[in-house]
Amino acid sequence: MKLLQTNIHEIETAGELEKIINENENVMVCCGRMGPMCIPVYEVMEELEEERENVKFYTMAFDNPEAAPIRNAPQTRGFMGIPFTMYYKNGKVIEATSSIQSMKQVTNILDEHFSS
Amino acid sequence: MDTTYDVIILGAGAAGLSAGIYTSRARLNTLILNEGAVGGQMVLTHEIANYPGVEITNGYALANIMKKQAKDFGCKIKSNIKISNYDFSGDLKTINLNDGRSFQAKSVILTPGGRPRNLNIPGEDQFKGTGISYCATCDGDFFTDKEIVVVGGGNSALEEAVSLTRYATKVTIVHQFDQFQAFKHAIIEAQENPKINFIMESELKVFSGNGKLSAVQIEHLPTGKVAEMKTDGAFIFIGYLPNTEDLHGVVDLNNRGEIVVDTDMKTNVPGVFAAGDCIVKKYRQVTTAVADGTIAALSVADYLRSKN
């Protein structure tokens, strides 16, 4: 069941998450709620989705039990602010951030790890 | 130069979107340039219960409807851009973006809104998301059975402190003055909550920890004494700042950085108007921003008619 009202595709199961990160080279997944710290990140992703064809953008609801692989990832240990935003390259986590992020912070990560 | 518009609106919060709805419906060629998320501070509001004519909704939903209304009338919206500089001196106003694009318009409405004020003390950036938060509703459950501090003395600080007692075992409110600025009912509710403690006339000076926040340094302002307090988290609610740093020297601002306008939302620069949380005014609500944006849009229409 979809819990987020954004224009980004929402991953609904852990299996779908695994499939996506294994089948795509560059993946960004923002795991959050419809709250003030998360919505600005979704907006950034919506903007970037149009111009970064080499990156796949997804959301996942933080309260979805299927999001456990993100909530419990070693890279998110100590995170105490949503959204948890994960960057995967060839199936592996190469960066993770906690709480609100600006366009500049997101593009810096994309440029560093996902530049084509 | 991409194109020339009748009006460019800088900011897509409640004021900017309202102005965009009115100007585009008036068949003015309208562009909204927005540096942040569409909706501005409105999307930071979980529940809006007092917007006339709309039953309880959330800020994101209301912002999305406003955005759709503006676009349906032909308004163009470009978000997450970064403005490098302005030239409002001539009849045609120019706005240059960091990515090299440039836009011109016969008039401009400034609706940059505001943002939560940060403490700007050591450790604040480092522990954002690992102990420091600006949203109790978003992050409160990470602090279940933990001890936290809340910084601030207004309505937001006291109301959020009370809501955080649902999770935390102890909430310490740190406030720089000897009394609160909040409404009386909010003060009483906080004072009657057994989980809430108060440290008055004090300021946070440093956040510290190893990987995540574990302590804060607090200065007692009358004596200058600094003490360290162990804490698992800190929530900061110390008001808002107008997003007008780049407008110094462009339009008249007051000493708080708010744009000075007349009752028609005109700034001191001909053809440049302003509306919303960025202007000099007492009350900042979605409804007042909508009203300001409407007035600015109608004033722009008058201004453009007078130029033709």
Side-chain angles (χ1 to χ4, degrees):
Chain A
M1 188 178 71
K2 292 192 189 302
L3 299 170
L4 305 175
Q5 301 92 47
T6 77
N7 296 319
I8 308 284
H9 178 84
E10 180 179 343
I11 299 171
E12 294 182 67
T13 67
E16 185 187 359
L17 172 66
E18 188 178 2
K19 186 170 186 286
I20 284 169
I21 62 177
N22 285 328
E23 291 183 355
N24 295 281
E25 182 183 357
N26 303 319
V27 178
M28 175 181 178
V29 182
C30 184
C31 184
R33 298 175 176 135
M34 290 308 292
M37 299 294 119
C38 306
I39 290 168
V41 184
Y42 305 146
E43 294 259 357
V44 166
M45 294 169 77
E46 284 183 27
E47 293 286 325
L48 291 173
E49 193 169 36
E50 293 176 11
E51 59 189 65
R52 302 260 179 163
E53 291 179 358
N54 66 323
V55 183
K56 299 291 184 187
F57 295 90
Y58 297 93
T59 60
M60 198 162 188
F62 192 83
D63 297 310
N64 180 348
E66 296 286 315
I70 291 177
R71 287 196 307 269
N72 301 329
Q75 294 85 355
T76 64
R77 190 172 298 134
F79 281 10
M80 300 177 89
I82 54 169
F84 291 4
T85 305
M86 313 294 284
Y87 299 83
Y88 300 92
K89 192 167 190 72
N90 297 319
K92 290 193 168 54
V93 179
I94 44 94
E95 186 78 58
T97 63
S98 174
S99 194
I100 189 170
Q101 301 289 308
S102 67
M103 170 67 95
K104 189 167 188 297
Q105 287 170 311
V106 173
T107 54
N108 281 347
I109 293 171
L110 298 184
D111 289 342
E112 183 183 350
H113 298 291
F114 296 163
S115 55
S116 47
Chain B
M1 197 70 60
D2 286 3
T3 189
T4 299
Y5 292 87
D6 290 318
V7 55
I8 291 178
I9 299 165
L10 300 178
L17 291 171
S18 300
I21 290 167
Y22 269 76
T23 55
S24 53
R25 190 166 188 234
R27 305 274 176 94
L28 299 177
N29 191 11
T30 303
L31 170 68
I32 297 179
L33 294 173
N34 187 45
E35 292 198 324
V38 172
Q41 294 296 304
M42 187 167 36
V43 301
L44 307 189
T45 308
H46 278 280
E47 184 179 285
I48 296 176
N50 54 2
Y51 192 89
V54 177
E55 292 191 335
I56 292 177
T57 184
N58 63 67
Y60 183 77
L62 191 57
N64 257 349
I65 293 169
M66 289 186 187
K67 178 182 172 184
K68 184 174 184 307
Q69 282 179 298
K71 288 180 115 173
D72 287 349
F73 285 128
C75 180
K76 295 177 183 67
I77 301 176
K78 295 181 189 296
S79 288
N80 286 303
I81 52 91
K82 181 67 190 162
I83 294 167
S84 62
N85 58 68
Y86 316 87
D87 180 0
F88 294 160
S89 56
D91 276 349
L92 272 184
K93 319 299 181 189
T94 303
I95 294 136
N96 298 310
L97 306 191
N98 271 4
D99 62 12
R101 284 182 293 172
S102 183
F103 298 94
Q104 282 194 325
K106 297 170 191 166
S107 63
V108 169
I109 302 175
L110 303 169
T111 56
R115 65 183 185 280
R117 189 189 292 268
N118 290 353
L119 285 168
N120 292 318
I121 62 174
E124 187 171 10
D125 283 341
Q126 183 186 348
F127 296 109
K128 185 186 79 174
T130 53
I132 296 176
S133 176
Y134 303 85
C135 176
T137 317
C138 307
D139 300 330
D141 57 349
F142 290 109
F143 298 88
T144 300
D145 298 329
K146 296 187 184 299
E147 297 189 0
I148 59 175
V149 297
V150 167
V151 185
N155 287 315
S156 295
L158 297 196
E159 288 169 4
E160 300 288 30
V162 169
S163 80
L164 285 164
T165 59
R166 284 186 290 156
Y167 309 104
T169 53
K170 181 180 172 187
V171 176
T172 302
I173 296 176
V174 181
H175 185 42
Q176 61 181 330
F177 301 120
D178 62 356
Q179 54 189 319
F180 292 110
Q181 285 72 55
F183 291 136
K184 197 167 183 179
H185 68 84
I187 298 171
I188 291 170
E189 193 177 0
Q191 286 173 335
E192 289 180 348
N193 191 309
K195 286 186 175 179
I196 296 180
N197 303 285
F198 301 91
I199 299 179
M200 306 300 285
E201 297 183 87
S202 298
E203 280 184 354
L204 263 63
K205 289 296 174 189
V206 177
F207 292 107
S208 58
N210 184 14
K212 63 183 198 179
L213 180 68
S214 61
V216 290
Q217 286 183 18
I218 301 172
E219 179 183 353
H220 183 240
L221 296 172
T223 61
K225 284 185 179 173
V226 177
E228 183 168 283
M229 189 173 103
K230 300 287 180 197
T231 189
D232 299 303
F235 285 76
I236 299 163
F237 306 105
I238 52 172
Y240 290 88
L241 283 174
N243 292 323
T244 55
E245 288 85 351
D246 297 340
L247 293 169
H248 283 275
V250 179
V251 292
D252 282 351
L253 307 177
N254 70 2
N255 59 5
R256 290 192 294 274
E258 298 158 343
I259 301 171
V260 179
V261 292
D262 67 11
T263 52
D264 291 332
M265 303 297 151
K266 290 178 187 166
T267 71
N268 63 307
V269 179
V272 179
F273 303 77
D277 286 358
C278 65
I279 67 169
V280 179
K281 64 177 180 178
K282 185 173 179 182
Y283 299 113
R284 288 177 168 79
Q285 297 286 305
V286 177
T287 46
T288 61
V290 166
D292 295 344
T294 304
I295 294 167
L298 296 173
S299 296
V300 159
D302 267 351
Y303 169 79
L304 293 176
R305 267 196 299 273
S306 73
K307 300 292 282 184
N308 290 333

Coordinates of all heavy atoms in Angstrom, one line a residue, chain B residues 5-41:
Chain B
Y5 N 8.9 38.1 -19.4 CA 7.5 37.9 -18.8 C 6.9 39.2 -18.4 O 7.6 40.2 -18.2 CB 7.7 37.0 -17.5 CG 8.1 35.6 -17.9 CD1 9.4 35.2 -18.0 CD2 7.1 34.6 -18.1 CE1 9.8 33.9 -18.4 CE2 7.5 33.3 -18.5 CZ 8.8 33.0 -18.6 OH 9.2 31.7 -19.0
D6 N 5.6 39.2 -18.2 CA 5.0 40.4 -17.6 C 5.4 40.5 -16.1 O 5.6 41.6 -15.6 CB 3.4 40.2 -17.7 CG 2.9 40.3 -19.1 OD1 3.4 41.2 -19.8 OD2 2.1 39.5 -19.5
V7 N 5.4 39.4 -15.4 CA 5.8 39.4 -14.0 C 6.5 38.1 -13.7 O 6.2 37.0 -14.1 CB 4.5 39.6 -13.1 CG1 3.5 38.5 -13.4 CG2 4.9 39.6 -11.6
I8 N 7.6 38.3 -12.9 CA 8.3 37.1 -12.3 C 8.1 37.2 -10.8 O 8.2 38.3 -10.2 CB 9.8 37.2 -12.6 CG1 10.0 36.9 -14.1 CG2 10.5 36.1 -11.8 CD1 11.5 36.9 -14.6
I9 N 7.7 36.1 -10.2 CA 7.4 36.0 -8.8 C 8.6 35.2 -8.2 O 8.8 34.0 -8.7 CB 6.1 35.3 -8.5 CG1 4.9 36.2 -9.1 CG2 5.9 35.1 -7.0 CD1 3.6 35.5 -9.2
L10 N 9.2 35.7 -7.2 CA 10.4 35.0 -6.7 C 10.0 34.3 -5.4 O 10.0 35.0 -4.3 CB 11.6 36.0 -6.4 CG 12.1 36.6 -7.7 CD1 13.2 37.6 -7.4 CD2 12.6 35.6 -8.7
G11 N 9.6 33.0 -5.4 CA 9.2 32.3 -4.3 C 7.8 31.7 -4.5 O 6.9 32.3 -5.1
A12 N 7.7 30.4 -4.1 CA 6.4 29.7 -4.3 C 5.8 29.2 -3.0 O 5.4 28.0 -2.9 CB 6.7 28.5 -5.3
G13 N 5.8 30.1 -2.1 CA 5.0 29.8 -0.9 C 3.6 30.2 -1.1 O 3.1 30.4 -2.2
A14 N 2.8 30.4 0.0 CA 1.4 30.8 -0.1 C 1.3 32.1 -0.8 O 0.4 32.3 -1.6 CB 0.8 30.8 1.3
A15 N 2.2 33.1 -0.5 CA 2.1 34.4 -1.1 C 2.4 34.3 -2.6 O 1.7 34.9 -3.4 CB 3.0 35.4 -0.4
G16 N 3.5 33.6 -2.9 CA 3.9 33.6 -4.3 C 2.9 32.8 -5.2 O 2.6 33.2 -6.3
L17 N 2.4 31.7 -4.7 CA 1.4 30.9 -5.4 C 0.1 31.7 -5.6 O -0.5 31.7 -6.7 CB 1.1 29.6 -4.8 CG 2.3 28.6 -4.8 CD1 2.0 27.4 -3.9 CD2 2.6 28.1 -6.2
S18 N -0.3 32.4 -4.5 CA -1.5 33.2 -4.7 C -1.4 34.3 -5.7 O -2.2 34.5 -6.5 CB -1.9 33.9 -3.3 OG -2.1 32.9 -2.3
A19 N -0.2 35.0 -5.6 CA 0.1 36.0 -6.6 C 0.1 35.4 -8.0 O -0.5 36.0 -9.0 CB 1.4 36.7 -6.3
G20 N 0.7 34.2 -8.2 CA 0.7 33.5 -9.5 C -0.6 33.2 -10.0 O -0.9 33.3 -11.2
I21 N -1.5 32.7 -9.1 CA -2.9 32.4 -9.5 C -3.6 33.7 -10.1 O -4.2 33.7 -11.1 CB -3.7 31.9 -8.3 CG1 -3.2 30.5 -7.9 CG2 -5.2 31.8 -8.6 CD1 -3.7 30.0 -6.5
Y22 N -3.5 34.8 -9.3 CA -4.1 36.0 -9.8 C -3.5 36.6 -11.0 O -4.3 37.0 -11.9 CB -4.1 37.1 -8.6 CG -5.3 37.0 -7.7 CD1 -5.4 36.0 -6.8 CD2 -6.3 37.9 -7.8 CE1 -6.5 35.9 -5.9 CE2 -7.4 37.8 -7.0 CZ -7.5 36.8 -6.0 OH -8.6 36.7 -5.2
T23 N -2.2 36.6 -11.1 CA -1.6 37.3 -12.3 C -1.8 36.4 -13.6 O -2.1 36.9 -14.6 CB -0.1 37.5 -12.1 OG1 0.5 36.3 -11.8 CG2 0.1 38.6 -11.1
S24 N -1.7 35.1 -13.4 CA -1.9 34.3 -14.6 C -3.4 34.2 -15.0 O -3.7 34.2 -16.2 CB -1.4 32.8 -14.4 OG -1.9 32.3 -13.2
R25 N -4.3 34.3 -14.0 CA -5.7 34.3 -14.4 C -6.0 35.7 -15.1 O -7.0 35.7 -15.9 CB -6.6 34.1 -13.2 CG -8.0 34.0 -13.6 CD -8.9 33.4 -12.5 NE -10.2 33.1 -13.0 CZ -11.3 33.6 -12.5 NH1 -11.3 34.4 -11.4 NH2 -12.5 33.2 -13.0
A26 N -5.2 36.7 -14.7 CA -5.4 38.0 -15.4 C -4.7 38.0 -16.8 O -4.6 39.1 -17.3 CB -4.9 39.1 -14.5
R27 N -4.3 36.9 -17.2 CA -3.6 36.7 -18.5 C -2.3 37.4 -18.6 O -1.9 37.9 -19.7 CB -4.5 37.2 -19.7 CG -5.9 36.6 -19.7 CD -5.9 35.3 -20.5 NE -7.1 34.6 -20.4 CZ -8.1 34.7 -21.4 NH1 -7.9 35.5 -22.4 NH2 -9.2 34.0 -21.3
L28 N -1.7 37.6 -17.4 CA -0.3 38.2 -17.4 C 0.6 37.0 -17.6 O 0.5 36.0 -16.9 CB 0.0 38.9 -16.2 CG -0.9 40.2 -15.9 CD1 -0.6 40.8 -14.6 CD2 -0.8 41.2 -17.0
N29 N 1.6 37.1 -18.5 CA 2.6 36.0 -18.6 C 3.5 35.9 -17.4 O 4.3 36.8 -17.1 CB 3.4 36.4 -19.9 CG 4.3 35.2 -20.3 OD1 4.1 34.1 -19.8 ND2 5.2 35.4 -21.2
T30 N 3.3 34.9 -16.6 CA 3.8 34.8 -15.3 C 4.8 33.6 -15.1 O 4.5 32.5 -15.5 CB 2.7 34.6 -14.3 OG1 1.7 35.7 -14.4 CG2 3.2 34.6 -12.8
L31 N 5.9 33.9 -14.5 CA 6.9 32.9 -14.1 C 7.1 33.0 -12.6 O 7.4 34.0 -12.1 CB 8.2 33.1 -14.9 CG 9.4 32.2 -14.5 CD1 9.1 30.7 -14.8 CD2 10.7 32.7 -15.1
I32 N 7.1 31.8 -12.0 CA 7.5 31.7 -10.6 C 8.9 31.0 -10.5 O 9.0 29.9 -11.0 CB 6.5 31.0 -9.7 CG1 5.1 31.7 -9.6 CG2 7.0 30.8 -8.3 CD1 4.1 31.0 -8.8
L33 N 9.8 31.7 -9.9 CA 11.2 31.1 -9.7 C 11.2 30.8 -8.2 O 11.0 31.7 -7.4 CB 12.3 32.0 -10.1 CG 12.4 32.4 -11.6 CD1 13.4 33.5 -11.8 CD2 12.7 31.1 -12.4
N34 N 11.6 29.5 -7.9 CA 11.5 29.1 -6.5 C 12.8 28.4 -6.1 O 13.2 27.4 -6.8 CB 10.3 28.2 -6.3 CG 10.1 27.9 -4.9 OD1 10.2 28.7 -4.0 ND2 9.9 26.6 -4.6
E35 N 13.5 28.9 -5.1 CA 14.7 28.3 -4.7 C 14.6 27.0 -3.8 O 15.5 26.2 -3.7 CB 15.6 29.3 -3.9 CG 16.1 30.4 -4.8 CD 17.2 31.2 -4.3 OE1 17.3 31.4 -3.1 OE2 18.1 31.6 -5.1
G36 N 13.4 26.9 -3.2 CA 13.2 25.7 -2.3 C 12.1 24.9 -2.7 O 11.8 24.8 -3.9
A37 N 11.4 24.3 -1.8 CA 10.3 23.4 -2.1 C 9.0 24.3 -2.3 O 8.8 25.3 -1.6 CB 10.0 22.5 -0.9
V38 N 8.2 23.9 -3.3 CA 7.0 24.6 -3.6 C 6.1 24.5 -2.3 O 5.9 23.4 -1.7 CB 6.2 24.0 -4.8 CG1 4.8 24.6 -4.9 CG2 7.0 24.3 -6.0
G39 N 5.5 25.6 -1.9 CA 4.7 25.6 -0.7 C 5.4 26.4 0.5 O 4.7 26.8 1.4
G40 N 6.7 26.5 0.4 CA 7.4 27.2 1.5 C 7.1 26.7 2.8 O 7.0 25.5 3.1
Q41 N 6.9 27.7 3.8 CA 6.7 27.3 5.2 C 5.4 26.5 5.3 O 5.2 25.8 6.3 CB 6.7 28.5 6.1 CG 8.0 29.2 6.2 CD 9.0 28.4 6.8 OE1 8.8 27.9 8.0 NE2 10.1 28.1 6.2

